Amino acid sequence: MNAPLAHLSEHMHAHAQEENSFWMRKYMRDQFPFLGIKKPLRHQILQAWYKQEGKGLDWFVVANELFQMREREFQYLALDYLFLEKKQWDDRIPELVENWIGNQSWWDVVDVLGPHVMGHYLLKNPAQRDFWISRWMSSGNFWLHRVCVLFQLTYKQKTDIDLLSSIILELSREKEFFIQKAIGWSLRQYARVDSIWVKDFVKSHELAALSRREALKHL
């Protein structure tokens, strides 16, 4: 670990809160250890560190080292740091997303990586879209499947509804809760753009009850 990251780790551990840690672990079903640092303080620590030591580093190396650290707050810091370095992103983003989703996957990280990292990247690099979506749809990893469903979540009128439809229909028989939920979420979000299309789509296709409920929640 390089010196700047060692300093950031020291600052984080110095602010650990045992009681917060207990409830954070419970909320995440005891999947990960936590220091017990809530979001506002975590942002404050990161911003101070970034201003003093974090600029000018290799964003890919720093983000990956943060993500490999033990406590869950460091995975959140890795995501926050990525957005501080958004102007520096390059063609290593898909590799990073794939690796992170294959390591310590859960909805809290996946749902940032999908629409806000990969979604942004593919909007800027549309020629790469079909390669990565095809790769991840055939991966057998339901978290990568969730990214395929959700990467267009913020696209609004730019949503490729043909692609969204094909992804949903390919996954529509999946029993996995997080896939059914994602399908409904993506349709509910697109309903803000075209509610008639969403109603017709739900009516015309066999979707899981959870997906249908989520899709039509506000219609």
Side-chain angles (χ1 to χ4, degrees):
M1 185 187 305
N2 62 38
L5 282 177
H7 295 158
L8 178 57
S9 178
E10 290 169 6
H11 290 315
M12 290 289 289
H13 281 89
H15 289 86
Q17 295 286 336
E18 185 174 350
E19 184 175 353
N20 290 344
S21 173
F22 173 82
W23 293 111
M24 288 175 168
R25 290 197 311 274
K26 289 299 180 185
Y27 179 70
M28 295 300 288
R29 301 181 184 179
D30 289 312
Q31 299 252 0
F32 312 103
F34 281 84
L35 290 172
I37 300 175
K38 295 184 178 180
K39 186 175 181 179
L41 179 56
R42 189 182 80 232
H43 279 181
Q44 182 181 335
I45 293 170
L46 178 63
Q47 289 287 348
W49 171 83
Y50 184 74
K51 184 177 180 180
Q52 295 174 6
E53 301 182 78
K55 289 183 179 180
L57 304 175
D58 185 325
W59 66 268
F60 184 79
V61 172
V62 172
N64 275 299
E65 288 197 26
L66 284 170
F67 197 82
Q68 296 304 318
M69 292 184 188
R70 179 173 179 270
E71 291 84 6
R72 195 60 167 172
E73 285 93 342
F74 287 108
Q75 280 95 66
Y76 300 155
L77 281 179
L79 290 167
D80 295 338
Y81 174 79
L82 266 188
F83 291 112
L84 290 175
E85 292 287 303
K86 198 171 187 177
K87 292 182 179 179
Q88 311 304 323
W89 290 3
D90 54 37
D91 59 8
R92 293 175 291 178
I93 281 289
E95 175 191 344
L96 177 145
V97 170
E98 186 173 87
N99 289 341
W100 286 11
I101 288 177
N103 181 16
Q104 304 193 71
S105 297
W106 198 245
W107 64 264
D108 55 337
V109 167
V110 171
D111 290 357
V112 178
L113 291 174
H116 302 295
V117 177
M118 202 63 196
H120 175 82
Y121 178 82
L122 290 179
L123 201 57
K124 298 289 186 180
N125 300 275
Q128 298 185 32
R129 187 193 73 178
D130 291 349
F131 171 81
W132 288 105
I133 297 305
S134 176
R135 175 185 173 94
W136 292 345
M137 285 295 288
S138 62
S139 69
N141 182 319
F142 74 82
W143 290 116
L144 288 172
H145 293 168
R146 186 170 166 101
V147 168
C148 294
V149 177
L150 296 179
F151 84 94
Q152 297 190 89
L153 201 64
T154 66
Y155 282 17
K156 298 181 180 178
Q157 288 85 356
K158 295 180 180 179
T159 301
D160 183 333
I161 57 173
D162 291 334
L163 177 61
L164 180 63
S165 300
S166 67
I167 291 170
I168 288 174
L169 294 177
E170 187 172 341
L171 298 173
S172 62
R173 296 184 182 277
E174 289 284 337
K175 303 297 184 184
E176 172 56 51
F177 168 85
F178 286 106
I179 295 300
Q180 294 181 5
K181 188 86 168 179
I183 289 171
W185 185 13
S186 67
L187 290 170
R188 184 174 75 246
Q189 190 72 2
Y190 188 65
R192 299 171 183 268
V193 176
D194 191 341
S195 60
I196 294 174
W197 183 90
V198 170
K199 288 178 183 177
D200 288 345
F201 183 87
V202 172
K203 183 178 180 180
S204 304
H205 297 93
E206 186 177 344
L207 302 176
L210 174 59
S211 299
R212 298 173 67 87
R213 260 197 326 273
E214 288 294 318
L216 301 175
K217 183 179 286 187
H218 301 309
L219 298 180

